[in-house]
Amino acid sequence: MTPEVTYTRHEGADAGSAIDAFLPAYEEIYAEPPYLEGPRDVAEFIEHYAVQAERPGMRLVLCHDGQDVVAFSYGYYLAPDTRWWTNLQDVQLPPDQAREDGRRTFVIIELAVRKAWRRRGVAATLHGLILKDVYAERVTLTVRPEPEAAPARLAYQAWGYHRLGTSHPWEDAPLYDCMVRDLQQHPLTNP
């Protein structure tokens, strides 16, 4: 049963200026295992988000319960010079599969729900809204491999994603499972 919540979608500069609205949710969610993020991690997230908010096709979807943001998701189109596919540790994609043109692949960077709101359909609704009107061949995302992230991984698989390989996005980053889903319809209106 879906709770009585509202959703808002923000694009471009509007998405960039909305960080204060969902930062408390981010801090709460990512303090949990397997993330265990502290103040330094949150500060790095704020810096990364400012850069990501400038990416082409940037969109942010927030789920509100009254004034509180209880869940959020954001993403954008991969740029032609992306390192997304070269970050894979255990698979090397053929050049034609790794090629990006700025519209071929939409990446979901975050899809997070506060604990009290999980298993209520909020994540599925966020996923549908973030991909609504996406004109791309595929969508990709990453998920942590630890057992605590198993519910998210199972949801992604139920939504049509498959594991492509292990991603190590930057030097001090943990490992992630990179997942991909082909988008057969353009635009994707009912994921």
Side-chain angles (χ1 to χ4, degrees):
M1 182 174 172
T2 303
E4 295 297 322
V5 295
T6 59
Y7 295 86
T8 58
R9 188 163 126 177
H10 310 265
E11 298 188 15
D14 184 39
S17 64
I19 190 169
D20 291 338
F22 73 90
L23 192 57
Y26 178 92
E27 291 172 321
E28 179 183 314
I29 294 163
Y30 287 96
E32 299 172 15
Y35 315 104
L36 302 173
E37 290 190 5
R40 184 182 81 116
D41 301 298
V42 172
E44 287 177 3
F45 167 75
I46 293 168
E47 288 178 25
H48 290 148
Y49 185 78
V51 172
Q52 292 167 334
E54 299 292 322
R55 306 262 187 205
M58 172 64 169
R59 57 177 64 178
L60 165 71
V61 178
L62 302 177
C63 176
H64 306 265
D65 177 17
Q67 297 297 318
D68 295 326
V69 172
V70 298
F72 62 94
S73 183
Y74 72 86
Y76 48 83
Y77 291 98
L78 289 179
D81 63 348
T82 185
R83 295 180 317 200
W84 187 266
W85 307 116
T86 58
N87 292 334
L88 295 174
Q89 303 295 296
D90 51 355
V91 64
Q92 184 173 0
L93 296 182
D96 64 313
Q97 289 183 13
R99 177 192 51 79
E100 292 296 337
D101 61 11
R103 295 292 286 191
R104 182 179 191 189
T105 306
F106 188 83
V107 58
I108 297 175
I109 299 294
E110 300 285 354
L111 195 159
V113 181
R114 284 182 159 162
K115 190 176 235 176
W117 292 91
R118 294 178 191 154
R119 294 181 174 43
R120 296 180 172 193
V122 170
T125 301
L126 277 176
H127 183 258
L129 291 171
I130 195 81
L131 292 180
K132 185 176 170 111
D133 302 325
V134 164
Y135 294 85
E137 291 179 27
R138 59 192 176 186
V139 61
T140 187
L141 51 76
T142 58
V143 62
R144 293 282 292 265
E146 291 89 350
E148 296 91 345
R153 187 172 20 277
L154 291 172
Y156 299 145
Q157 289 170 339
W159 299 337
Y161 290 85
H162 67 276
R163 184 181 183 281
L164 186 60
T166 302
S167 179
H168 190 235
W170 64 91
E171 187 175 322
D172 296 330
L175 297 177
Y176 294 86
D177 286 337
C178 178
M179 301 184 81
V180 176
R181 173 183 162 185
D182 290 330
L183 299 178
Q184 301 302 319
Q185 300 174 357
H186 301 283
L188 181 66
T189 55
N190 291 316

